[in-house]
Amino acid sequence: MTIMNVQDRSRQFRLAPGTIDRGTIQGFTLTELIVVMAVIGILSAVAIVRLSSFQPQSGPTAAAELMAHLRYVRHVAVNRERTTRIVFSTSSNSYAVLVADTNQPPNFLPAEDPVTRGDWNVSIGERFPGIRIVSAVFNGSNTLSFSPTNGIPCDGSMTPLAATGAVVLASGQTVYVTPYSGYVGTSP
């Protein structure tokens, strides 16, 4: 292996062949920097235009959130041994979650939202622009209740569902709750 001598301002040191002498690197020219900045600017402008026209799929997301809420509310009924209730309103495009204050309804209080820690009221139109509740039917009622002992889905008068209950969203998704088991699913 051959060693080369390099002088650098009164110091001598040795470089192995193939190494770069840092004293000869000048940096980038102003023209190169301007070209790179122009390319980055153009790419950023294209990205902003594309992202501003991006429309999230609100319908499937709203249906997925509603399904998660229904499952959680059923879970709360069984774990806290309290009747839980979801009251849907097509006129205000919202639903409210309520919990019985004792094991014997009819006294229901607003449930605590597990995220915000406030009253659990969901406005579909605010959360998902352009999405609305077309109908919510559970044995002819707009209220879905879950029994405290085993989470059986019932209507507002605590009559077990005789048929599958459904919440239809304007986006075409239907969130359904099956009788007895309380299985919550969706169909496109």
Side-chain angles (χ1 to χ4, degrees):
M1 180 163 140
T2 310
I3 304 285
M4 298 170 39
N5 285 332
V6 176
Q7 284 196 349
D8 181 22
R9 298 189 188 153
S10 76
R11 291 186 309 184
Q12 258 197 349
F13 57 94
R14 295 180 178 185
L15 292 175
T19 58
I20 298 174
D21 178 7
R22 299 282 180 201
T24 61
I25 296 179
Q26 299 288 324
F28 297 107
T29 65
L30 182 60
T31 306
E32 291 171 330
L33 290 174
I34 290 173
V35 168
V36 168
M37 289 174 58
V39 168
I40 290 172
I42 292 169
L43 291 176
S44 297
V46 169
I48 289 171
V49 168
R50 288 194 181 230
L51 289 177
S52 66
S53 65
F54 176 72
Q55 292 290 330
Q57 294 186 350
S58 295
T61 306
E65 182 176 286
L66 177 57
M67 284 179 18
H69 287 176
L70 294 177
R71 289 175 181 149
Y72 183 78
V73 169
R74 181 175 184 265
H75 176 77
V76 167
V78 174
N79 283 344
R80 295 188 185 166
E81 296 180 352
R82 298 277 191 260
T83 301
T84 56
R85 177 173 282 181
I86 302 103
V87 180
F88 293 90
S89 172
T90 55
S91 61
S92 66
N93 198 27
S94 64
Y95 58 91
V97 180
L98 308 170
V99 176
D101 63 349
T102 65
N103 281 336
Q104 301 299 320
N107 297 327
F108 285 90
L109 302 172
E112 180 182 69
D113 187 317
V115 177
T116 66
R117 300 292 184 206
D119 290 350
W120 198 349
N121 297 309
V122 178
S123 174
I124 296 289
E126 288 178 16
R127 297 247 325 121
F128 304 100
I131 303 298
R132 60 185 175 80
I133 300 171
V134 175
S135 67
V137 181
F138 304 95
N139 282 354
S141 170
N142 68 333
T143 302
L144 173 65
S145 301
F146 291 103
S147 71
T149 53
N150 50 16
I152 289 179
C154 304
D155 61 16
S157 63
M158 292 307 294
T159 303
L161 293 183
T164 300
V167 178
V168 179
L169 301 176
S171 60
Q173 278 77 27
T174 299
V175 176
Y176 60 87
V177 180
T178 60
Y180 309 112
S181 70
Y183 174 78
V184 178
T186 186
S187 60

